Amino acid sequence: RGSTPSKAKGKVFSLALGTQFQLQVGQLMELLDTCHLHYVRCIKPNDAKAADCFEGPMVLQQLQYSGVLETIKIRRAGFAVRVKF
C-alpha cells in the first residue's frame, strides 16, 4: 500500500511507518469487531492420520489441551460459555 501522503500547511509528507501500522491495526480491529468469529477444532485420531485407526489416549490428550473438556464441565454446571473478542 505504501505511504499515504498528507498535507500540512501546504507541504506534502508521508506518514511514518509506525503511524501507518497503528492505523492499519485500528482498521483491522474495527473489522474484527463487526464479525462473528467461530473456530473449528480439528482432532487427529492417530499420529499417522490413517483411516479407521483411533487412538483414544491421543484424542483425550488433544481434547484436554484444547480446553474442550473444561468447557463441557462448565456447561454441564449450567453456565453458558461465549468468549467475546
Side-chain angles (χ1 to χ4, degrees), residues 14-35:
S14 298
L15 294 175
L17 186 60
T19 304
Q20 290 179 38
F21 178 74
Q22 285 180 328
L23 292 172
Q24 290 174 356
V25 168
Q27 292 170 349
L28 176 61
M29 292 306 296
E30 287 175 12
L31 177 64
L32 290 175
D33 286 340
T34 64
C35 299

Side-chain angles (χ1 to χ4, degrees), residues 1-2 5-7 9 13-15 17-18 21-22 26 28 31-32 38 46 51-52 57 72 78 85:
R1 294 183 185 227
S6 300
K7 289 187 176 183
K9 297 182 182 179
F13 64 93
S14 298
L15 294 175
L17 186 60
F21 178 74
Q22 285 180 328
L28 176 61
L31 177 64
L32 290 175
H38 298 278
N46 56 62
D52 300 323
I72 292 170
F85 295 94

Side-chain angles (χ1 to χ4, degrees), residues 36-38 41 71 74-75 79-85:
H36 300 287
L37 302 175
H38 298 278
R41 291 182 178 98
T71 302
I74 292 169
R75 287 194 172 204
F79 299 97
V81 178
R82 296 282 183 242
V83 178
K84 294 190 177 192
F85 295 94

